[in-house]
Amino acid sequence: MDATLYWEDLQEGAEVTPLEAVLGAAQLFQMSAVTNNTHRIHYDLPWAQFEGYENIVIHGPFHGEVLAQTLQRWIGPTGWLCKLHYSNRRYAVLGETLTGRGRVTRLYEENGQHCADVEIWAEKGPDQVTAPGTATVVLPTRNQPVVIPR
């Protein structure tokens, strides 16, 4: 994890530190097993090619995981990712790098917490967004730690 990110050090428009992820075939097979997803495009290359894909297709939940990991690394060990919404819009295949990116769209205080709304997305190349989304993170200030509601 990175160093602590403090709410008062941010401004609207600030960029989220990007995170690159390259997934392996074993991870894709494991995701198929864990999610009980038997669609062969996720683990069988000849079948994926039969269906028109150039390689084994990365599962949709992995795109969301890239977004979550991007935010978690950016906010550091004392921040809290409290909301994440995304939708899969474009596929990616084995061998492609997924990059999580984002920018702060709003800073505000709510119920004693210091929040940042973030536009977040995963992409497999310039102008190739695979999963756009939004998130809300709660950050500490230099004088107040984050208190996670129970």
Side-chain angles (χ1 to χ4, degrees):
M1 290 243 147
D2 293 336
T4 299
L5 177 67
Y6 292 103
W7 183 79
E8 60 262 63
D9 294 339
L10 287 178
Q11 56 185 322
E12 291 181 7
E15 297 289 322
V16 171
T17 305
L19 174 69
E20 291 186 350
V22 179
L23 300 163
Q27 290 170 299
L28 299 185
F29 184 80
Q30 289 170 337
M31 177 65 85
S32 288
V34 167
T35 61
N36 198 27
N37 183 340
T38 59
H39 198 309
R40 291 168 59 182
I41 63 172
H42 299 301
Y43 61 87
D44 184 337
L45 178 59
W47 188 265
Q49 290 172 332
F50 172 76
E51 288 204 16
Y53 298 101
E54 58 274 24
N55 206 336
I56 296 171
V57 178
I58 295 171
H59 300 70
F62 271 125
H63 298 253
E65 181 62 22
V66 168
L67 299 178
Q69 290 294 323
T70 299
L71 290 165
Q72 290 286 11
R73 288 179 186 253
W74 178 62
I75 63 177
T78 56
W80 174 44
L81 171 57
C82 64
K83 290 182 191 174
L84 173 61
H85 301 279
Y86 73 95
S87 61
N88 291 342
R89 300 293 175 90
R90 182 176 291 191
Y91 74 92
V93 296
L94 190 65
E96 291 183 311
T97 300
L98 288 176
T99 303
R101 299 187 185 279
R103 77 177 57 83
V104 176
T105 58
R106 181 176 169 226
L107 294 168
Y108 58 99
E109 293 181 52
E110 185 175 277
N111 298 324
Q113 301 284 9
H114 294 84
C115 304
D117 287 344
V118 180
E119 175 187 17
I120 188 87
W121 63 93
E123 62 186 26
K124 65 178 187 177
D127 300 320
Q128 295 187 57
V129 173
T130 63
T134 58
T136 300
V137 298
V138 177
L139 297 167
T141 65
R142 296 195 183 282
N143 298 319
Q144 178 184 343
V146 170
V147 178
I148 299 174
R150 294 184 191 262

